[in-house]
Amino acid sequence: MPATERAVELALAAAQAAADKKAEDIMILDVADQLVITDAFLIASAPNERQVLSIVDAIEERLTELPEKAKPVRREGERGGRWVLLDYVDIVVHVQHTEEREFYALDRLWKDCPQIEFVDRDLPATA
């Protein structure tokens, strides 16, 4: 069973918030068939700790502005700013420093899961 509409809505809103703060390599994975605890992973990276934390703050703010507000039930890793995890139950957001992203390679671990397409609304349309 693929990710729920709510999970997709949260993931896309979070991805756009991350993109607005210049997150890199934004990827949304539909993990609903593999995990029972969540439907989607959002993975994004940034080149420094300050930007990681800025992206996390933007995601939290954006998801509380949705018609059906969403607040994380768990937030981990904020102190170091190298890898912050936000658990919204329907989705789990991973914002990682670029080095952590390369080292832990969540993209590769979950490569068998389908991706949910995300296109940054601020990117120019290609012909």
Side-chain angles (χ1 to χ4, degrees):
M1 189 161 142
T4 64
E5 285 183 35
R6 174 71 172 161
V8 172
E9 173 192 20
L10 290 173
L12 291 174
Q16 188 59 58
D20 291 347
K21 288 294 182 177
K22 308 298 184 222
E24 300 171 350
D25 300 321
I26 299 170
M27 177 181 286
I28 305 171
L29 298 172
D30 182 339
V31 296
D33 287 338
Q34 303 296 319
L35 295 173
V36 295
I37 59 171
T38 193
D39 284 351
F41 281 171
L42 167 65
I43 305 169
S45 52
N48 60 64
E49 291 85 353
R50 176 178 256 168
Q51 191 174 0
V52 167
L53 297 175
S54 177
I55 292 165
V56 168
D57 289 344
I59 290 170
E60 282 192 293
E61 184 177 324
R62 179 74 49 88
L63 296 186
T64 59
E65 293 171 352
L66 292 175
E68 289 185 42
K69 295 180 182 184
K71 291 187 177 185
V73 295
R74 189 170 52 132
R75 182 178 178 149
E76 296 182 9
E78 183 179 20
R79 186 180 312 182
R82 306 272 306 170
W83 180 351
V84 179
L85 179 145
L86 299 172
D87 184 351
Y88 285 91
V89 180
D90 293 317
I91 67 168
V92 175
V93 176
H94 301 270
V95 182
Q96 301 173 299
H97 189 285
T98 305
E99 293 170 359
E100 267 67 12
R101 178 129 182 210
E102 290 173 12
F103 182 79
Y104 290 102
L106 292 179
D107 323 65
R108 196 176 37 204
L109 286 172
W110 296 96
K111 68 181 177 194
D112 294 337
C113 295
Q115 286 191 31
I116 297 170
E117 185 176 353
F118 166 70
V119 177
D120 183 353
R121 69 169 181 251
D122 294 333
L123 288 180
T126 55

